[in-house]
Amino acid sequence: MTDRIQNIANGIYDNVGGMKNVNKIVHCMTRVRMEIDDYTQVDLDKLKQVEGVMGVVEDDTLQVVIGPGTVNKVAQAMVDMAGVKLGEPITHTTSGKDAVEAKAAQVKADVKKKNQKPWSKALKSIANIFVPLIPAFVGAGIIGGIASVLGNLMLAGQISGDNWAHIITVLKIVQSGVFAYLNIYVGINAATEFGASPSLGGVIGGIIMLTGVTPENPLPNIFTGGDLSPNQGGIIGVILAVFLMSMIEKKLHKVVPESIDIIVTPTVTLLTMVMITIFLIMPIAGAISAGLVGFINWILGVGGAFAGFMLGALFLPMVMFGLHQILTPIHLEMITNNGYTLLLPILAMAGAGQVGASIALWVRCRKNKQLTEMIKGALPVGILGIGEPLIYGVTLPLGRPFITACIGGGIGGAVIGLFGNVGATSIGPSGVALIPLINNGHMLQYVIGLLAAYAGGFLATYFFGTNPEMRVEQ
């Protein structure tokens, strides 16, 4: 950081009543925007005289005009001084005792962060990316779950009529508003987490969707010679791409002259990342997908409890990496040839194992109010077969419960595989919502498998899935 940037940041703080009078800082293309606590402490005349400040605008926030290129550096300097991120509330202390306690807490947090293992940091970043999406997951998930139950009842012939069809369509529109464009939301949040421009992160998420690419004019996979598919790479591909993007953008901000930074940096960043994302990240994900399809077909050929356990245990990691969509052709082929897919009921056990694991966390970590409140919101959606809230909001950020949830899914899958011939007559959500689609005569076996996955996930997590840190009062 240059002395000039630091001087502008200090000058702004000095003339708005100090850092203690600022509640939040964000920036746009040319302005630092601050939420001010007490406007009587703001000296507008002196603020305008700070070298580097081009003007001041009073609106719902106090906006200091600095200009493109410089504004993001000044805003970053100001939040760094406050010890927060852009857009985060700035906490203030009111007494010497509070200051000492705050400093001690900060030092403890810094030491803990420094000693944190790389995989723990990665899980923490994933949590920070997905936790803000939990309300959308829960609301849209419940609505989508209702739509799925109604849709499955219609497919099973238990309800009919245009009115029901219209209701289901409207409900699915709400669900699609979240999950169809999840890559974009993840890109925005990942950019915020990695200190990049959120709008650029959203564009990276949109790139993986290959909008505008048609079957008649596809983009090539440079490794295989085949065609790239939309969403190849999934959510993890988005996070990786945005992480690389953040490093490129930060580097460019340092070397590009401020007068042209607003034009050059986003343009070069996006051009670089679109090449890396489309022609490197997506093909690699495609190779992984193709390998998984071959592995799954081999597992299905083995059959029985072993196949059920393996598929049930591995499905949650596939969802996490956004690779579960590659199974759709297998489902459709089975339905075309046999009238039902044997794969879907087994994979549904993964979500059930996660439900059992979350219930165990609720019981075992009941003093951790932050965790239990998250589980309360996400659990009903998980029971209906929408697993993302529990994955990204509960089990995956904690690490160990994600593994025990996979074990629970494997146990349920083994039970379904042991029964044999438990199939779904159409593709639909898992969990309880799938019951109406189970082929005739096997609904009871499917329910037994669900209960086994619930129990397996619960017991594995209760005894092996927590640590003292999760169980302390928060």
Side-chain angles (χ1 to χ4, degrees), residues 25-92:
I25 298 171
V26 295
H27 71 84
C28 60
M29 291 178 62
T30 60
R31 305 177 184 185
V32 173
R33 300 170 181 261
M34 295 171 286
E35 291 185 4
I36 299 297
D37 185 32
D38 181 4
Y39 270 91
T40 62
Q41 299 184 38
V42 177
D43 191 329
L44 293 176
D45 292 332
K46 289 186 178 180
L47 183 58
K48 294 175 183 178
Q49 295 172 13
V50 172
E51 184 177 354
V53 172
M54 302 176 182
V56 178
V57 177
E58 291 185 89
D59 200 349
D60 54 336
T61 58
L62 182 63
Q63 304 171 20
V64 181
V65 182
I66 297 174
T70 308
V71 64
N72 60 298
K73 298 176 183 179
V74 172
Q76 189 62 52
M78 293 178 70
V79 294
D80 288 344
M81 293 167 66
V84 298
K85 294 181 180 180
L86 287 167
E88 287 185 349
I90 299 176
T91 56
H92 307 293

Side-chain angles (χ1 to χ4, degrees), residues 140 143-152 154-155 165-180 427-429:
I143 292 171
I146 295 171
S148 300
V149 172
L150 294 176
N152 292 348
M154 179 168 281
L155 286 171
H166 293 157
I167 291 172
I168 293 169
T169 298
V170 170
L171 295 180
K172 285 186 175 180
I173 288 173
V174 177
Q175 182 186 19
S176 297
V178 174
F179 296 104
I427 300 175

Side-chain angles (χ1 to χ4, degrees), residues 91 93 95-111:
T91 56
T93 56
S95 67
K97 179 183 177 183
D98 290 339
V100 171
E101 291 178 351
K103 182 62 176 178
Q106 182 63 45
V107 171
K108 182 178 180 181
D110 290 342
V111 171

